[in-house]
Amino acid sequence: MAKSFYVTTPIFYVNDSPHIGHAYTSLAADMMARFARLQGQKVYFLTGTDEHGQKVKKSAEAAGKNPQDFVDEVSQRFQKMVQDLELTHDRFIRTTEADHKKAAQQLWKTLVEKGEIYKDTYAGWYSVRDEAFFQESELVDGKAPTGAPVEWVEEESYFFRLSKWQEPLLQYFSENPDFIGPTSRRNEVLSFVKGGLRDLSISRSTFDWGVPVPGDPKHVMYVWIDALTNYITALGYPDESELRKKDGLWQNALHVVGKDILRFHCVYWPAFLMAAGLPLPKRVFAHGWLTNAGEKISKSLGNAIDPFALIQEYGLDQTRYFFLREVPFGNDGEYSVSSFVQRVNSDLANDLGNLVQRVLSFVHKHAAGKVPVPGELTQDDEDMVAQWRKVYAQMEEAMEEQSLHRAIEKLWALVSSANKYIDTQEPWKLRKEDVQRMETVLYVLVEVIRQIGLMAQPIVPKGATKILDILQIPEKKRTFDDLETPLKGGTALASVEPIFPRFQVSEAGARDAG
Ligand code: ME8
């Protein structure tokens, strides 16, 4: 039976336009979804927008719009981003959709029935930018730890008995050491929970842009309890059958998030689920921040990079490749135009692009444009043709740990091996000395290019598709299972076209310098 894999991105606030940070998370999740599909897994990939709360409400006011019109408009920009990124998501969820509101209200009702919610008064600090409550002791120079301004809030509020879940959470983390990745983030969560949990205010009564609290419409739900529920709305909750299915989507769910929202996903969310008697997702993986000149890229800091501009100028494959390869997934990563151009020139244009171009043009010129029929394979040939097995196993292992950069690095080691193989076998010499041997060498190379094309699909889908199209590989023969079935000699190749262009390094350097 095919394994299941459910991958989610955070749902993004519609307070402002999407920037490269949002695109980054989305591209990473997309690579995971594509990889799992090619493995033959049953995949569900969810992304969307988080449309309630004070932050969105204030942005709507500032824009002079009513909140619904405003969120419709900004959500469109995120839907456009998702389209431009050519994500392979199964649903784009919006928290203003009816099925989601119903799910959030059902979760609330269940928590009430289980005695997990009580009414009191909240008095404390609130950061609208973080949509988070803070204790006096947590403030740094009168601001939230993120540097966001805070305001004093004193209002009637419902509370969730979070304190009660401190021990069960710690026990769960110890029994499920892979629940949070990477390890540094796991440690961060452990120390936060060990430091003691207070009950959490989960409703607001001084504004109305949110999901109404069942039975008490003066209150709207705290935006995070509403937002987190999106992950189960998409699986049909209040119907719990998918959530409880053994080895179904939920038991194999991975939440990909940025490290800024670790606490919400690794403490609040599992506590809500435990309290409601629902099973937990398999894992939360928190990646780092993209930085520009050392500062987190964010709209509020005014250093946002427009993903649309980047894609338009350099291409989608290039944008995917740079961010997923350059930044070790989990760490922070610095973006600059010159590092971008250097990376895509060297890995895409030179290493992979040249390999394909060189070999396939040679086949067109000197081997009648057909996959050559090999003679007997030498040990070197055998090793080259079989190297993918090790590479693929390494990629699978890396993907299991969300080590996206490592998976890419392993594949590019195969690209390097193929380039070395050309240099040692020297087919251009064989053309004059031993045509049969030349054909064998070319066969090996074309076969390895096919293997690389297959495995590169989740990383650079457009380039990989071009490669597989030149090789005339039928659409149905492009899964990872097909790695096992080598090319047959004699198939005609389509004409060769450039796969990855080169960019000017000098211009990029000038741009970084401002
Ligand atoms: O937090 N580098 O939404 P949000 C890397 N609505 N990733 C970045 C980034 C950067 N500089 N900036 C943003 C919310 N991100 C909530 C989520 S989920 C139930 C609710 C990415 O619009 C990263 O994934 O503020 C981060 O966690 C997310 O955008 C925050 O998006």
Side-chain angles (χ1 to χ4, degrees), residues 17 86 136 155 167 354 418 425:
S17 297
E86 299 184 19
E136 182 81 37
E155 64 190 49
E167 284 313 313
N354 270 351
Q425 301 297 332

Side-chain angles (χ1 to χ4, degrees), residues 179-406:
F179 181 64
I180 303 166
T183 311
S184 55
R185 299 291 158 232
R186 178 171 191 270
N187 294 339
E188 204 176 293
V189 172
L190 285 181
S191 78
F192 174 73
V193 177
K194 281 181 188 156
L197 296 178
R198 289 162 172 274
D199 289 354
L200 180 71
S201 164
I202 51 163
S203 77
R204 302 292 308 271
S205 47
T206 46
F207 68 92
D208 62 0
W209 184 239
V211 180
V213 163
D216 195 350
K218 254 194 11 245
H219 287 253
V220 293
M221 289 183 197
Y222 171 39
V223 66
W224 271 102
I225 189 168
D226 156 6
L228 288 159
T229 308
N230 93 88
Y231 299 132
I232 57 175
T233 303
L235 295 188
Y237 181 81
D239 178 345
E240 296 178 9
S241 51
E242 186 60 46
L243 301 182
R244 298 196 181 278
K245 202 181 281 171
K246 203 168 156 346
D247 248 345
L249 288 167
W250 187 238
Q251 322 260 295
N252 291 292
L254 169 69
H255 297 319
V256 178
V257 300
K259 66 180 183 181
D260 48 337
I261 52 176
L262 192 66
R263 190 183 293 187
F264 303 99
H265 284 81
C266 299
V267 181
Y268 302 167
W269 182 224
F272 294 153
L273 290 167
M274 282 178 178
L278 291 169
L280 269 52
K282 185 170 174 190
R283 182 165 160 93
V284 179
F285 186 94
H287 63 68
W289 283 342
L290 297 181
T291 58
N292 188 352
E295 287 231 62
K296 184 190 176 204
I297 293 171
S298 88
K299 268 284 162 182
S300 30
L301 295 174
N303 63 352
I305 293 165
D306 178 359
F308 304 119
L310 212 53
I311 293 167
Q312 213 158 43
E313 180 154 10
Y314 296 106
L316 178 55
D317 274 359
Q318 285 75 3
T319 305
R320 287 174 78 97
Y321 188 85
F322 173 78
F323 287 105
L324 301 179
R325 171 66 186 85
E326 181 87 359
V327 185
F329 201 58
N331 296 2
D332 291 350
E334 174 70 12
Y335 163 83
S336 69
V337 187
S338 47
S339 57
F340 186 107
V341 167
Q342 261 166 27
R343 174 60 84 179
V344 303
N345 275 351
S346 124
D347 296 12
L348 295 182
N350 294 355
D351 295 349
L352 179 55
N354 270 351
L355 169 71
V356 174
Q357 190 97 10
R358 241 165 124 191
V359 171
L360 301 185
S361 307
F362 196 90
V363 170
H364 268 289
K365 272 204 200 122
H366 305 298
K370 290 187 184 146
V371 179
V373 179
E376 201 172 325
L377 300 195
T378 65
Q379 190 58 49
D380 280 354
D381 301 343
E382 299 273 11
D383 290 349
M384 185 73 254
V385 163
Q387 199 182 326
W388 71 267
R389 288 187 188 277
K390 190 170 126 220
V391 168
Y392 178 62
Q394 289 169 329
M395 285 179 84
E396 275 197 315
E397 194 187 309
M399 292 304 290
E400 276 291 307
E401 300 165 7
Q402 292 79 44
S403 192
L404 307 185
H405 59 290
R406 193 149 54 84

